[in-house]
Amino acid sequence: MRKDFIETLLRGLYSAVLYLLLPITVYHLIWRGFRVREYFRRWDERYASYPQSAGEPRVWLHAVSVGEVNAAAPLVNALRERHPDIRWIITTITPTGSQRVRALWGEAVEHVYLPYDVPDSVNRFLGHFKPSLALILETELWPNLLFGCRDRGIPLYILNARLSARSLKGYRLLRPLIARALHGVTCVAAQSREDARRFIALGARAEQVRALGNLKFEIHPPDPTAVLQAFRAHVPSSRKVWIAASTHEGEEQAVVDIHARVLAQHPDALLLWAPRHPERFARAEALAREQGWHVATRGAQQWPTADARVFVIDTLGELMQFYACAQVAFVGGSLQAIGGHNLLEPAAMGTAVVTGPHLHNFSEISRRMNEAGALRVQPDADGVAGEVLQLLDDAATRERMVEAGQQLVTNGRGALERTLALIEPRLP
C-alpha cells in the first residue's frame, strides 16, 4: 500500500511540474522554429491531438533523432520483412529524425512526433494508436510514458539501451520515480554489461536487464562506388581530403582553425564539412568564406570545384558515402561535452577516425575502437589538428586503422539477431 501511495505521490508531483512548464514548450518551439522552420509545423502531434481515427493497433517504435533512427533501421527492416502485415507507428522528437524516417521507409510506416510527457497527452497518444508492442531506443526514459504502457498492459522494451555514468548521475533526483517506472518495463536490452549495471543501479530489477550488444554494429555500409567515382572526377586522388562530420556550433571555429593548419602544409587540401544540424549549413559556409577560401556546396554545385578548399555537405542522408571520399574523419560532438556521435560509420566506410575527448554517449564503442587501434582520441582541437595532419601524411597508419575498424565492425555484429529473438514472441 505504501509503495502504491509513494508512486502516486511521485507521479503527481512530476506531472504537476510538467503541466506548469507546458507553456514554456510553446516558446521553445517558436525559438527553435526561427532556426529550423519545421519546428513551426505539426504542433498538434507534440500535444497528441490527432484529427482522424487511427484504426487498428500498431507496433510502436520511438527513436529520438537521426542516430537512433539509423540504429533502429536494421531491426525495423528485418521485422517488416519477416512480418509484412504489421502496421508501424514510428515517433521521433526532431525534424531531422522525421526526415530520416521518411527517407528510409516513405509512407510504408506512419510517423508522428512523440508528445510531451504529460498524462493527458500520453493517454491520448496511447489511446489513439493502441500499440500492441512498444519499442523505445536507447535512453528515452519518460516516466508517464513508461507508466502509461504498464497501466495499459502494453509490453515495452528499451532496446539498444545505454546509460552513461554522467546520465546516471543526472537522474539522481528522479531515481525514485524512474525506478518505479522501470519496474513496468518488460525488458531492458542493454548495449553492454556496463550499461546493464547502470540501469540496475537506476532501479531496474536484475532479471529485467540483459546485455545484448549494440545495434549500431549492424551497420551495412552503402556501396560508395558511384559517389566515389563522381567525386574523383572532380577531385584527383593526389589531393589531401579530410572530413569534419556532425560538428556543432561550438566546434565550428575549431574546424576552421584545423583546416587552416592543414592548408599551410597542403595548399590544395580539401575539407568536406557536414554540420550536425541543417540550420548550421549556411553558417559553416559563411565561416569558410570569411577565411577567403573558395567554397562549394552539395546543394548548389553538387561536387567540389577545382579551386574549392571547402565543400559543405548541406544535404541529409549522404554522409556515409562521403566518408569514403576522405582519408581522415573528425567526428564532432566530441570537442564539447555533447558526448560524441557515431564512430562506426566512418570506420565501416574505410576512413581513419579522430575525435575529441567527450565520448560519453559512445563510451563502449570508443573504448573498443581505441583498444583495436581504429581510433585516435585527442584532448583538444590542437591535438585533433596534429592528428589529422599526421594521418594525412601517413598512409600506412591510416591503412592499419581502417583495417582494424572494419574488422571491429564485422566482429561486433550479432545484437540484431539477439534482439529479434527477444521481441518476436511478443509481436502481434
Side-chain angles (χ1 to χ4, degrees), residues 130-364:
K130 302 178 180 65
S132 54
L133 178 66
L135 310 173
I136 294 178
L137 267 289
E138 299 202 1
T139 321
E140 287 289 278
L141 303 180
W142 297 105
N144 281 325
L145 202 60
L146 302 186
F147 282 125
C149 288
R150 183 203 66 182
D151 294 345
R152 290 172 179 264
I154 302 167
L156 187 151
Y157 292 79
I158 302 176
L159 302 179
N160 217 43
R162 65 175 173 85
L163 189 65
S164 67
R166 178 178 178 176
S167 296
L168 177 61
K169 186 177 180 180
Y171 277 122
R172 280 181 303 180
L173 288 177
L174 286 176
R175 186 187 180 281
L177 179 65
I178 295 288
R180 286 169 170 82
L182 285 173
H183 290 170
V185 172
T186 305
C187 184
V188 177
Q191 293 183 8
S192 68
R193 291 187 178 91
E194 289 76 14
D195 291 302
R197 284 196 288 269
R198 292 187 190 114
F199 269 96
I200 293 171
L202 187 57
R205 297 188 179 98
E207 61 269 20
Q208 290 178 285
V209 182
R210 299 175 62 181
L212 298 187
N214 196 329
L215 286 172
K216 286 187 167 68
F217 279 98
E218 304 299 328
I219 185 172
H220 293 283
D223 183 355
T225 303
V227 168
L228 193 53
Q229 287 179 345
F231 182 83
R232 285 300 172 208
H234 295 80
V235 181
S237 58
S238 59
R239 288 185 71 178
K240 304 292 186 182
V241 181
W242 71 287
I243 184 169
S246 298
T247 57
H248 289 254
E249 181 176 355
E251 298 173 316
E252 290 165 354
Q253 187 58 50
V255 171
V256 169
D257 294 341
I258 293 168
H259 194 47
R261 287 181 58 179
V262 171
L263 289 172
Q265 293 194 27
H266 304 284
D268 67 341
L270 177 65
L271 163 63
L272 310 181
W273 194 351
R276 179 69 177 180
H277 299 115
E279 63 266 29
R280 303 305 301 174
F281 293 160
R283 181 53 182 159
E285 180 182 354
L287 277 172
R289 292 191 188 281
E290 287 171 9
Q291 310 305 309
W293 299 331
H294 290 282
V295 181
T297 71
R298 178 65 167 157
Q301 286 81 26
Q302 291 293 300
W303 301 104
T305 55
D307 60 352
R309 295 298 176 265
V310 178
F311 181 65
V312 177
I313 304 168
D314 55 353
T315 54
L316 298 176
E318 294 190 301
L319 175 58
M320 281 192 67
Q321 296 189 82
F322 277 104
Y323 275 133
C325 300
Q327 295 145 348
V328 181
F330 162 68
V331 180
S334 59
L335 286 175
Q336 297 179 295
I338 291 167
H341 293 296
N342 196 324
L343 304 171
L344 295 174
E345 291 183 350
M349 297 303 293
T351 311
V353 188
V354 180
T355 77
H358 300 287
L359 298 168
H360 51 266
N361 289 337
F362 292 84
S363 56
E364 176 69 9

